[in-house]
Amino acid sequence: MASGEDVPAAEIPGQPTSQSPPPLEEPTEPREPLPPKPDQSQPAPQTPTGRPTGGSAEAFSQGGSYLTNAQGVRLPDSDHSLKAGRRGPVLLQDHHLREKIMHFDHERIPERVVHARGAAAHGVFKSYGTAESVTKAAFLRKDVETPVFTRFSTVIGSRGSSDTVRDTRGFATKFYTSEGVYDLVGNNIAVFFIQDGIKFPDVVHAVKPHPDREIPQAQSAHDTFWDFLSLHTEAMHHTMWAMSDRGIPLSYRTMEGFGVHTWRLVNEQGETTLAKLHWKPKAGVHSLVWEEAQVTNGVDPDFHRRDLADAIEAGAYPQWELGIQTFPDTPDQTFEGIDLLDSTKIVPEELAPVQPVGLLTLNANPSNYFAETEQVAFHVGHLVPGIDVTDDPLLAGRLFSYLDTQLTRLGGPNFAQLPINRPHAPVNDMLRDGMHQTAVHRGGAPYKPNSLDAGCPFFAGSEEGGYVEVPAPVEAAEKVRQAPESFADHFTQPRLFWLSLSPVEREHLISAFTFELGKCYENAIKERTLRALAEVDPYLCGQVADGLGLPAPEATRELPSVRPSPALSQVGQKWPTKGRTIGIIADDNSDLAAVRALREEILDGDMIPLVIAPTGGTIGSEGDDPVTVQRSFATGRSVECDALLVVGAPAQGGDAFGTRDAKAWNGGADEAVDPRALLMLTEAYRHAKPLGALSTARQVFDTAGIPVDAPGVVVGADAGDVLGNVVELLAYHRVWERFPAYA
């Protein structure tokens, strides 16, 4: 799968088995394990020392028709402990019970302190060759294809938290290059909270749940976070991004990624260039609105991981272009007055355009979450020749932290030998023994220099592809615990971010600050944060202060004049609609020919149709070609769809009453249309999603109180025309005109 070949798209993504449908009765005839689903892949069959095995990826899977213990001994029963008689005590000699319970007791490993909740996929990265002038990295040569494994994550919450919380997201990609593993470990926000790695425990302790009650989970809307932020204003720029729509992405597929730090690239001639790395989603950068995120957390806390997996299974492979901003490697390591070693600063794209250097395509889901997504181990120090670090003090802390945490999580120093972490390049490391050592090393001299192993392994200089650090000069100076003077400006770039947003996005940011601070108990924390916001913008500060019922302080300095960066806004551009989900509301009385035609046209457009009907099963079951229902009114919600089409006016279902389904409560009104269908439409309208209906279903909009002449509402007699107009609107992600915003 990582080579990029296509697989058949699933008609209904998310089915849990490759056998469809499964038999009603439990199978009793022995057979080999089922094959994986077409959308799934596994780690490449490499040995612990990076050699290709020549076998298939299935070599890692279980085999045989019969249940065995861990030693391969077949078992006659796994439902009953060995007892002294049917009602007697359990016998200590039950070795199968002991093994089964022992393994279960140790199934869980410590979750990541941050980035615990994640989702991942296999894929391939194809280089355009446009980076060859600035780096000698082999995987960035023209047309080179490199298998990858990419993991997305939230930062704050535990593994059991929800996906659509307001949070920073991790975007980490492991490149299995011919020169060894390269890890690009970034976030969906271009800057970070802190400038120095020594403060990382502080920001994490502040944003994590309060230590006395272990609440709130996966949220920054609490006192300890805002206490830290208001006392530590270098975090303001990152916080502005997090409080903006960027903090609640629509999906992992529509999320930017950033390497955050400035890196040093080295070309074949030994020339160096400083660079920032970016992932640009081909589908565009889109977000949820706050109410949408809250509803989604309740109805589908796995929304982002489900969306990623279903899109891949449906053949709508997510894609990102890797781009680089490049800067001269000057002694002061600044560009246009911006300190490139300060991870709380960006370089606007208008000053240094992002140059595309390759395309990432995720085309296969993991076969086993634990073995792959949970055990994958990233490290910013996993570098290849042509990419080197800089003196960024935040990066220095990360270079220490990642290796250290793997020792605790993965049980020892040999985590690189886990299948998902194995390099696709030969390994001869002289690292021996340790917990979970699965390589069988030969030779008697694991040291250098040696003669007993004929001198092997030998050193490799740069000409032989060895990793040689750039001999960057180090300034002779006193040892101090201080920051450069250029790190002291905490407000100019937050102001740049604020002024770069559209009016709608600014309103959302005001709402987020007001909500988060409104959840704090201590007024001093709110007042202190308002002081910081006053240094960013008086309107922002004043609106948040009004929402909190507090006076708005004034700035202590003249606010800087900045040039907005349009690239920071998510509004106004047009994007491909590939992989977007369109809901079709219908019932048995709808025009089923139109429903079938819409489904086919949506699929032909590389989008995902979701038929929503009063009950599950099928509609049109009396005919020869029934339509499969993916969501009933009881299980569906508008937040799953990017747009809605109404093909009929479904009457109230048999379960449409509040005791059975609270969504059906309508205050006792005798509606002709099921109130849950109306709820979907009014939610989607409120969230500025495109809506369409056939002329015969126009009454549904009337009943829902949705003006048919409102922006983004399409009514017509021809289903194809209605769909075409809705897809055209969907290219802008939302009907932004529907949001009221200040001028």
Side-chain angles (χ1 to χ4, degrees):
M1 285 298 301
S3 62
E5 70 266 24
D6 288 338
V7 298
E11 184 172 332
I12 307 176
Q15 291 181 184
T17 175
S18 60
Q19 181 186 23
S20 184
L24 181 62
E25 304 298 335
E26 180 184 0
T28 56
E29 188 67 27
R31 55 152 297 160
E32 290 292 310
L34 291 172
K37 293 167 60 177
D39 64 291
Q40 294 176 328
S41 185
Q42 292 178 268
Q46 310 289 128
T47 71
T49 53
R51 297 174 184 264
T53 65
S56 68
E58 282 69 37
F60 293 115
S61 301
Q62 66 273 30
S65 304
Y66 295 94
L67 177 67
T68 74
N69 66 10
Q71 313 307 315
V73 178
R74 292 183 179 181
L75 298 169
D77 183 281
S78 192
D79 294 335
H80 307 93
S81 302
L82 189 66
K83 298 184 285 290
R86 287 179 179 268
R87 297 177 58 81
V90 174
L91 301 179
L92 184 62
Q93 71 186 63
D94 190 347
H95 53 88
H96 172 44
L97 168 68
R98 173 76 177 95
E99 180 187 69
K100 185 176 180 181
I101 296 298
M102 176 275 295
H103 197 281
F104 171 77
D105 287 345
H106 296 273
E107 280 181 2
R108 295 293 175 263
I109 63 175
E111 67 177 33
R112 291 166 169 87
V113 176
V114 286
H115 298 278
R117 181 170 180 81
H122 297 272
V124 63
F125 176 80
K126 184 172 182 178
S127 172
Y128 299 154
T130 48
E132 289 189 60
S133 63
V134 292
T135 178
K136 61 183 178 181
F139 80 98
L140 289 173
R141 294 173 188 154
K142 186 172 175 55
D143 294 332
V144 171
E145 293 192 10
T146 303
V148 301
F149 189 72
T150 295
R151 184 179 188 270
F152 306 99
S153 56
T154 54
V155 171
I156 305 172
S158 68
R159 274 189 61 187
S161 58
S162 298
D163 279 346
T164 59
V165 294
R166 184 178 294 280
D167 194 2
T168 307
R169 264 73 181 177
F171 192 136
T173 300
K174 186 175 289 292
F175 296 80
Y176 303 97
T177 86
S178 61
E179 299 179 295
V181 166
Y182 168 58
D183 287 345
L184 176 50
V185 195
N187 288 333
N188 74 317
I189 290 178
V191 293
F192 203 59
F193 283 111
I194 53 176
Q195 297 165 327
D196 192 312
I198 199 171
K199 291 179 284 195
F200 191 71
D202 299 302
V203 66
V204 173
H205 289 167
V207 78
K208 282 285 189 177
H210 291 203
D212 53 351
R213 299 189 179 187
E214 186 63 10
I215 57 174
Q217 174 64 237
Q219 296 178 57
S220 55
H222 55 90
D223 289 75
T224 59
F225 172 71
W226 290 97
D227 183 42
F228 174 83
L229 172 70
S230 59
L231 292 168
H232 199 74
T233 53
E234 73 186 53
M236 179 55 73
H237 193 191
H238 185 110
T239 304
M240 292 286 289
W241 283 65
M243 293 301 109
S244 77
D245 292 343
R246 301 263 186 167
I248 40 175
L250 170 67
S251 66
Y252 293 133
R253 298 184 286 138
T254 58
M255 191 176 81
E256 269 187 297
F258 301 90
V260 179
H261 308 287
T262 299
W263 302 86
R264 179 173 277 114
L265 306 182
V266 189
N267 65 13
E268 292 285 1
Q269 292 74 42
E271 300 164 332
T272 61
T273 303
L274 300 181
K276 287 185 175 289
L277 308 181
H278 299 247
W279 289 114
K280 297 285 189 181
K282 298 289 280 186
V285 187
H286 308 305
S287 297
L288 298 168
V289 296
W290 181 230
E291 185 198 30
E292 210 179 358
Q294 292 174 301
V295 172
T296 304
N297 276 334
V299 299
D300 188 2
D302 306 307
F303 182 74
H304 282 162
R305 60 172 63 182
R306 189 189 314 282
D307 173 87
L308 177 68
D310 284 358
I312 292 172
E313 187 175 358
Y317 299 143
Q319 292 184 314
W320 292 260
E321 276 191 318
L322 179 63
I324 58 174
Q325 287 178 297
T326 58
F327 322 100
D329 190 358
T330 57
D332 62 1
Q333 298 178 84
T334 65
F335 181 78
E336 297 287 338
I338 300 168
D339 193 328
L340 297 175
L341 300 186
D342 184 349
S343 288
T344 68
K345 305 291 195 301
I346 65 165
V347 176
E349 294 182 28
E350 291 75 17
L351 295 179
V354 177
Q355 307 162 64
V357 300
L359 181 67
L360 168 67
T361 303
L362 298 183
N363 56 21
N365 287 311
S367 294
N368 184 275
Y369 182 92
F370 179 82
E372 298 166 80
T373 307
E374 187 64 17
Q375 290 196 132
V376 66
F378 295 99
H379 176 33
V380 289
H382 290 163
L383 301 166
V384 291
I387 304 175
D388 203 346
V389 301
T390 58
D391 294 330
D392 178 342
L394 174 62
L395 177 57
R398 295 181 74 195
L399 286 166
F400 173 83
S401 178
Y402 282 73
L403 280 180
D404 199 49
T405 196
Q406 310 302 352
L407 294 175
T408 298
R409 290 198 65 250
L410 299 174
N414 292 309
F415 58 85
Q417 296 181 18
L418 293 167
I420 193 61
N421 296 321
R422 290 176 183 174
H424 294 191
V427 175
N428 196 345
D429 55 19
M430 295 198 304
L431 304 176
R432 293 294 186 266
D433 307 338
M435 294 283 286
H436 309 135
Q437 177 62 259
T438 57
V440 182
H441 295 97
R442 292 183 295 183
Y447 51 83
K448 290 288 291 179
N450 77 73
S451 63
L452 297 181
D453 283 347
C456 187
F458 297 92
F459 295 118
S462 58
E463 293 184 359
E464 293 82 26
Y467 188 92
V468 179
E469 288 80 3
V470 174
V474 177
E475 178 185 354
E478 296 179 353
K479 292 185 290 184
V480 294
R481 292 190 183 272
Q482 296 176 359
E485 290 182 9
S486 57
F487 280 37
D489 180 0
H490 300 163
F491 298 111
T492 298
Q493 288 221 333
R495 179 163 175 76
L496 164 69
F497 183 78
W498 164 258
L499 294 177
S500 300
L501 300 181
S502 68
V504 169
E505 291 170 300
R506 293 185 197 179
E507 291 297 312
H508 291 169
L509 191 146
I510 290 168
S511 174
F513 268 104
T514 306
F515 175 86
E516 297 257 329
L517 290 167
K519 299 282 280 188
C520 294
Y521 289 90
E522 302 295 341
N523 266 349
I525 291 172
K526 302 175 189 179
E527 292 169 4
R528 203 185 301 138
T529 305
L530 288 172
R531 280 192 215 161
L533 291 179
E535 306 294 338
V536 176
D537 187 84
Y539 183 83
L540 167 63
C541 179
Q543 293 298 299
V544 175
D546 285 349
L548 298 175
L550 294 171
E554 294 185 359
T556 60
R557 57 169 191 159
E558 183 179 349
L559 298 184
S561 175
V562 298
R563 191 170 116 195
S565 171
L568 296 176
S569 173
Q570 298 179 209
V571 175
Q573 299 185 63
K574 193 173 181 181
W575 302 97
T577 56
K578 178 181 178 181
R580 307 306 286 270
T581 299
I582 299 181
I584 305 172
I585 297 175
D587 67 357
D588 281 321
N589 298 316
S590 300
D591 182 346
L592 296 183
V595 174
R596 297 185 189 101
L598 286 169
R599 284 192 80 258
E600 290 305 313
E601 198 168 340
I602 292 169
L603 287 168
D604 289 345
D606 289 329
M607 296 173 289
I608 302 169
L610 204 66
V611 176
I612 308 168
T615 64
T618 61
I619 54 176
S621 54
E622 300 299 323
D624 297 329
D625 187 16
V627 176
T628 301
V629 174
Q630 279 85 45
R631 297 287 186 275
S632 68
F633 290 161
T635 62
R637 201 70 186 257
S638 69
V639 292
E640 295 183 90
C641 303
D642 299 297
L644 287 175
L645 299 173
V646 186
V647 183
Q652 292 200 29
D655 60 345
F657 53 92
T659 309
R660 182 77 57 82
D661 186 350
K663 299 193 302 296
W665 188 84
N666 62 355
D670 185 18
E671 302 285 8
V673 181
D674 193 296
R676 294 165 298 180
L678 300 177
L679 176 62
M680 287 186 204
L681 290 168
T682 54
E683 277 184 344
Y685 181 79
R686 197 162 61 244
H687 300 154
K689 296 180 178 180
L691 300 175
L694 297 187
S695 300
T696 53
R698 172 181 172 146
Q699 70 185 79
V700 179
F701 286 165
D702 295 335
T703 305
I706 296 173
V708 294
D709 58 352
V713 178
V714 181
V715 178
D718 183 88
D721 290 344
V722 171
L723 176 61
N725 288 325
V726 165
V727 171
E728 179 69 20
L729 291 164
L730 190 54
Y732 296 95
H733 179 52
R734 294 191 193 275
V735 185
W736 296 104
E737 305 92 314
R738 219 183 280 159
F739 282 126
Y742 74 94

